[in-house]
Amino acid sequence: MRGLIKYKDMGNLRQSMTEEEWNDLELSVHHPPHYGGKDNPYEAIKVIDAYGLGPGFSLGNAIKYILRAGKKTEDPIEDLEKAKWYICHAIELYKK
């Protein structure tokens, strides 16, 4: 993803991306193929949730992505989007 995203500020991130760039970001954050993909019943996050490890695992992953934002690549957006996904996922699990 590095070099793909060009943005002026966070509010203009989506508007500054092409449709293909946005889809690439979405795919890398939500159900990435290397973890099994959305339609795979054995996608890693689904198995983790099935074993009841979801909220703690998700919050731990959010911390990991927040701490590494801007370090693995120069652009922190993808890691922060992943952290946001895991926080939202944990919230949904706690609501159940």
Side-chain angles (χ1 to χ4, degrees):
M1 286 300 293
R2 187 172 167 234
L4 253 187
I5 302 173
K6 307 251 189 298
Y7 58 94
K8 294 178 182 120
D9 60 53
M10 292 299 287
N12 291 327
L13 175 63
R14 172 62 182 100
Q15 293 79 17
S16 67
M17 298 173 77
T18 67
E19 193 65 30
E20 182 179 357
E21 288 170 335
W22 181 253
N23 290 338
D24 286 347
L25 179 62
E26 284 289 304
L27 182 61
S28 69
V29 173
H30 304 283
H31 309 288
H34 57 274
Y35 287 121
K38 182 179 179 179
D39 297 326
N40 183 339
Y42 302 107
E43 180 185 21
I45 193 67
K46 293 173 189 156
V47 173
I48 290 163
D49 289 347
Y51 277 93
L53 305 173
F57 175 85
S58 293
L59 293 175
N61 260 358
I63 291 168
K64 172 185 76 173
Y65 284 116
I66 289 168
L67 292 175
R68 85 172 199 191
K71 293 181 176 84
K72 187 174 180 181
T73 65
E74 291 178 14
D75 192 340
I77 301 300
E78 184 175 345
D79 283 333
L80 294 174
E81 286 289 342
K82 288 178 181 180
K84 181 174 77 172
W85 187 92
Y86 277 109
I87 291 169
C88 290
H89 187 69
I91 290 168
E92 290 305 312
L93 292 172
Y94 281 124
K95 285 181 179 179
K96 288 182 180 180

